Amino acid sequence: MKKRAVVALGHRALGTTLPEQMAAVKQTSKILADLISEGYQIAITHSNAPQVGMIHAAMNEFGKNHADYTAAPMSVCSAMSQGYIGYDLQSGIREELLDRGIVKTVSTVLTQVIVDPYDEAFYTPTKVIGRYLSGEEATFEKQKGNYVVEEPGKGFRRVVSSPNPVKIVEIEAIRTLLDADQVVIAGGGGGIPVLEQKHHLKGAGAIIEKDLTAGKMAEDLNADLLIILTGDEKVQINLGQPNEELLGEISASEAKQYMEDGQFGTYTMLPKFKAAVSFIEKGEGRKAIITSFDKLGEAISGKTGTVIY
Ligand SMILES: Nc1ncnc2c1ncn2[C@@H]1O[C@H](COP(=O)(O)OP(=O)(O)O)[C@@H](O)[C@H]1O
Ligand SMILES: NC(=O)OP(=O)(O)O
């Protein structure tokens, strides 16, 4: 039986602007094709904060200035970001596979993820999206009822709520594609957050942390491996202190201890560890790798990366 992996792609694997994304995806596709060539069945999820910020700004500026265009809510923009990023990944991976003589369908499943309307996150927006804003732009956003935070010396950023993923609506479609040995991109940008109202799923104005959705998807698919590709080859503890240390192979209980000790950024590295530990604890023989996207091959063969077992 083939090994099954869920791969979460971070910012570096995608870039920010359209040309950056096109170049980054070419590189990322090679790495993912290597994994597939090694016999892994993979489901891929990805970041979307820069892209969804860009799409939301564009849609809402047009909506304001042209009577025949309407502004788009965040959930619709989230769906657009899944389509746009999924499209680039689908083409890139397909091409890389064909270059190696591998014929496989690569598809994107527009994925909705049910969130809890009473999730505490709705009271405190924390998820940073889009580009840096000037003071004037930040004031304008606040006037529209949006939230911004200041990053000293850099500018302002928009923030939205980031509720926990409760249920992946299209999980059976994702599972079916993997069972058919196809490559699937799903849960992009953490999935489109939706509130369950009887049979209706109402889009929520929020962005889910993609690492948490990746972990949930890995649990649901009973994957062997959760791979989180980020900017660093290995995670550090005691960051910025004289006793700074790179983490290699650690157990889930060691990882939990580091989490409790506050070793990881709340909105950056911590969700990756939460996802990894929860995934590992809910099954047998599971492993999670956190590494930079260009080091995946070495990490798979045990030469680098932070590996949690
Ligand atoms: N203990 C830590 N070790 C390494 N990086 C950390 C740590 N705590 C926070 N970080 C930050 O987390 C970042 C990765 O998180 P994020 O920017 O959300 O990534 P991505 O888009 O790759 O998912 C790193 O680039 C680093 O700045
Ligand atoms: N949705 C999400 O987690 O996006 P980023 O990784 O870009 O913040």
Side-chain angles (χ1 to χ4, degrees), residues 170-192:
E170 290 79 13
I171 193 68
E172 290 312 323
I174 300 164
R175 194 193 314 279
T176 302
L177 289 169
L178 275 193
D179 287 347
D181 206 22
Q182 297 185 11
V183 182
V184 57
I185 300 148
I192 305 154

Side-chain angles (χ1 to χ4, degrees), residues 93-215:
I93 299 166
R94 180 181 175 273
E95 190 175 325
E96 272 304 318
L97 291 175
L98 284 176
D99 286 350
R100 296 159 199 228
I102 302 171
V103 181
K104 257 186 212 299
T105 305
V106 186
S107 36
T108 302
V109 175
L110 274 190
T111 313
Q112 303 175 90
V113 173
I114 294 174
V115 296
D116 179 354
Y118 299 108
D119 192 310
E120 287 290 318
F122 282 113
Y123 302 103
T124 322
T126 55
K127 183 85 186 150
V128 172
I129 58 158
R131 63 180 174 83
Y132 284 98
L133 306 170
S134 67
E136 199 182 333
E137 288 171 315
T139 305
F140 182 56
E141 288 298 333
K142 282 194 267 186
Q143 281 165 356
K144 288 193 285 183
N146 294 328
Y147 291 83
V148 294
V149 289
E150 184 171 9
E151 289 185 20
K154 288 182 168 174
F156 297 83
R157 308 289 295 276
R158 268 203 68 187
V159 281
V160 296
S161 299
S162 192
N164 280 315
V166 174
K167 186 177 175 203
I168 300 169
V169 179
E170 290 79 13
I171 193 68
E172 290 312 323
I174 300 164
R175 194 193 314 279
T176 302
L177 289 169
L178 275 193
D179 287 347
D181 206 22
Q182 297 185 11
V183 182
V184 57
I185 300 148
I192 305 154
V194 290
L195 303 166
E196 200 169 22
Q197 298 177 342
K198 291 197 178 163
H199 292 172
H200 178 63
L201 296 176
K202 181 178 165 44
I207 298 290
I208 303 171
E209 178 53 60
K210 62 108 181 32
D211 296 314
L212 298 181
T213 300

Side-chain angles (χ1 to χ4, degrees), residues 10-11 47 210 230-232 235-236 239 263-265 268-269 272:
H11 296 144
S47 283
K210 62 108 181 32
T230 182
D232 302 297
V235 182
Q236 288 167 315
L239 198 61
Q263 289 285 355
F264 310 123
T268 52
M269 202 48 80
K272 301 183 197 324

